[in-house]
């Protein structure tokens, strides 16, 4: 109780501070896979070309006194499709900023691993959605498991990388979580993050993607139990407020930092919070606005979340701790979040 | 300033340094690690001309780079408590202006940016 009280105060203070710690850069909309659960519109030949590095650098050069832990996280699409990724990374490092990528691992071979490390890559996340058959099914590609495994082995061999594996939990892989855990421990992975899939993008029409309430409870129990083992740090992603499992499945309580500490620059130049948030919450565009001005003068909708007290959240007893769940669950007319994790656990 | 102080206070009251850890669902972990930037220029001891294609490796980590046409290389590597063991090798043999002797070096870590000037002697065959 007391812990929740102080955590709320901590979150209020962070919201007032509004320090930018984490900036997503959607550097390309191209992707070399066609995953069943993809929430974006990425294709092999996207309509958008890659964002020119100079445009991104111009935007981040507006940032005055970046926070010491400020990190640029390069996403896509698939960032490894950018041939100049290492040049991008070196330019970011020249500005005393750190950088990381999120990848499906398909193009992550030994030579690329070394050139990315040389360019100062500091953080890496690789997706692994199951053992061979399940992963290849979800990723819609026969070679993706083998390649992701190769990438994981390389990443785990590095002393420098802050590296984790992420898994989208769905109806097919929920029964193999223990085996996946054993597999990645054996590969030397030290951190594993699990998240669920929500009904937008390609996943929307595929019910196999979504967990039933009982399965979601099973997932929480699995994470809770796994956190008792020292070999690997297992956690639930930041995605939602999980009621009775709060503080048990993550290192801290639920805190959606979108627009509070997290910003993004999307492929079309939009200035936003997390890339998976409804585009109607875009705050500006680097083509016409200074990124830093937008960060400092806009983002009100993220910092004052009273508007989320509507629909099922209006009368919810947990509202003060949850504030309407992750903002990426608010779409369309924003009448209520499309997912409430807590109600799955009641 | 006051808010940063409050951050530390509330952070400690919830008994968790993890309150400061950043990560969005689909993002990478925040990078709090430190590293060292090493750059250098490799020339021939006899001609003083830059040598291209020299493999510059760190021997306690699987990390390497090749010198460019101007004999330059650069990379980031993780910070160590010990000196960084490096090796300079002419892996393409005579292709780039001769055959050079392998050189080993223990680089002292006295700052997070290190510049090296390396002269490589030609091998007598
Ligand atoms: S109803 Fe809304 S506020 Fe309540 S737990 Fe669910 S998402 Fe959170
Ligand atoms: S919007 Fe979603 S992904 Fe972003 S911080 Fe909030 S919960 Fe996490």
């Amino acid at each position: 109780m007391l812990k929740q009280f102080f955590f709320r105060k901590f979150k209020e203070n962070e919201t007032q501070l509004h320090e930018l710690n984490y900036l997503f850069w959607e550097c390309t909309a191209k992707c070399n896979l066609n995953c069943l659960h993809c929430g974006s519109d990425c294709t092999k030949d996207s309509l958008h070309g890659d964002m020119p590095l100079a445009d991104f650098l111009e935007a981040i050069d507006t940032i005055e006194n970046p926070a010491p832990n400020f990190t640029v996280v390069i996403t896509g699409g698939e960032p490894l499709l950018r041939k100049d990724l290492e040049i991008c990374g070196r330019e970011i490092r020249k500005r005393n900023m750190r950088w990381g990528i999120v990848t499906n691992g398909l193009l992550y071979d030994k030579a690329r691993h070394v050139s990315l490390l040389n360019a100062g890559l500091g953080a890496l996340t690789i997706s692994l959605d199951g053992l061979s058959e399940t992963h290849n099914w979800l990723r819609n590609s026969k070679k993706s498991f083998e390649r992701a495994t190769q990438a994981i082995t390389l990443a785990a061999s590095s002393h420098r990388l802050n590296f984790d594996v992420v898994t989208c939990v769905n109806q097919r892989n929920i029964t193999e979580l223990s085996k996946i855990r054993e597999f990645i421990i054996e590969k030397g992975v030290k951190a594993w993050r699990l998240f669920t899939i929500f009904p937008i993008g390609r996943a929307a029409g595929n019910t196999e993607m979504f967990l039933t309430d009982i399965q979601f409870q099973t997932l929480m129990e699995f994470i809770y139990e796994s956190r008792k083992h020292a070999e690997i740090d297992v956690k639930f992603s930041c995605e939602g407020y999980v009621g009775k499992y709060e503080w048990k499945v993550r290192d801290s309580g639920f805190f959606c930092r979108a627009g509070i500490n997290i910003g993004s620059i999307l492929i079309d130049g939009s200035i936003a919070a997390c890339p998976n948030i409804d585009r109607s919450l875009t705050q500006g565009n680097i083509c016409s606005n200074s990124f830093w001005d937008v960060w400092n003068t806009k983002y009100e909708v993220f910092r004052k979340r009273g508007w989320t007290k509507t629909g099922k959240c209006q009368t919810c007893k947990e509202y003060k701790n949850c504030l309407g769940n992750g903002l990426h669950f608010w779409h369309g007319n924003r009448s209520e979040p499309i997912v409430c994790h807590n109600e799955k656990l009641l | 300033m006051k808010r940063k102080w409050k951050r530390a206070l509330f952070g400690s009251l919830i008994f968790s340094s993890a309150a400061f850890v950043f990560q969005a669902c689909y993002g990478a972990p925040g990078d709090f690690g430190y590293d060292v930037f090493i750059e250098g220029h490799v020339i021939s001891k006899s001609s003083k001309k830059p040598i291209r294609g020299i493999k510059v490796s760190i021997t306690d980590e699987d990390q390497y780079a090749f010198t460019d046409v101007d004999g330059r290389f650069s990379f980031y590597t993780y910070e160590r408590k010990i000196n960084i063991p490096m090796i300079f090798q002419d892996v393409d043999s005579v292709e780039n202006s001769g055959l050079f002797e392998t050189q080993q070096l223990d680089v002292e870590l006295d700052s997070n940016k290190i510049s090296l000037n390396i002269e490589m002697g030609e091998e007598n065959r």
Side-chain angles (χ1 to χ4, degrees), chain A residues 13-14 16 19 21-22 69 90 93 98 110 114 118 122-123 125 159-160 162 193 195 238-239 251 257 276, chain B residues 3-4 7 18-19 22-33 35 61-64 74-76:
Chain A
N13 191 58
E14 286 297 295
Q16 293 296 321
E19 183 179 84
N21 300 107
Y22 199 87
N69 60 355
R90 282 179 186 261
R93 291 305 315 263
R98 299 175 179 278
K110 177 78 187 287
V114 170
N118 287 352
T125 289
H159 290 89
R160 163 80 185 100
N162 190 356
R193 202 162 16 121
F195 59 92
C238 65
E239 69 189 59
D251 299 344
R257 293 179 184 264
N276 49 355
Chain B
R3 295 226 165 262
K4 294 209 170 154
R7 167 191 270 181
F22 294 93
Q23 193 159 280
C25 301
Y26 309 106
D31 171 20
F32 296 95
D35 57 12
E61 170 95 353
D62 210 354
Q63 199 176 349
Y64 56 84
S74 68
F75 50 71
Y76 291 85

Side-chain angles (χ1 to χ4, degrees), chain A residues 241 243 254 308 310-326 330 337 339-343:
Chain A
Y241 177 74
F254 169 64
T308 61
T310 172
K312 65 175 71 158
C313 303
Q314 192 166 21
T315 50
C316 175
K317 289 199 188 75
E318 298 293 328
Y319 184 81
K320 63 178 189 298
N321 292 323
C322 170
L323 298 178
N325 223 10
W330 291 81
V339 173
C340 165
H341 295 79
N342 186 44
E343 73 185 3

Side-chain angles (χ1 to χ4, degrees), chain A residues 24 198 237-240 250 254-259 262 273-277 302 305 325-329, chain B residues 23-27:
Chain A
F24 281 105
F198 65 103
S237 76
C238 65
E239 69 189 59
R250 284 182 284 239
F254 169 64
F255 185 10
C256 172
R257 293 179 184 264
I262 301 174
C274 294
N276 49 355
I277 286 181
F302 297 94
R305 299 209 182 173
N325 223 10
L327 281 194
H328 67 275
F329 292 117
Chain B
Q23 193 159 280
C25 301
Y26 309 106

Side-chain angles (χ1 to χ4, degrees), chain A residues 130-168:
Chain A
L131 299 175
S132 177
E133 201 179 309
T134 323
H135 179 87
N136 287 346
W137 163 73
L138 198 79
R139 296 274 154 185
N140 224 347
S141 152
K142 286 199 179 88
K143 52 189 179 195
S144 65
F145 178 79
E146 192 192 316
R147 299 282 188 84
T149 305
Q150 171 184 270
I152 287 168
T153 308
L154 284 166
S157 71
S158 165
H159 290 89
R160 163 80 185 100
L161 281 177
N162 190 356
F163 154 65
D164 70 355
V165 166
V166 291
T167 300
C168 287

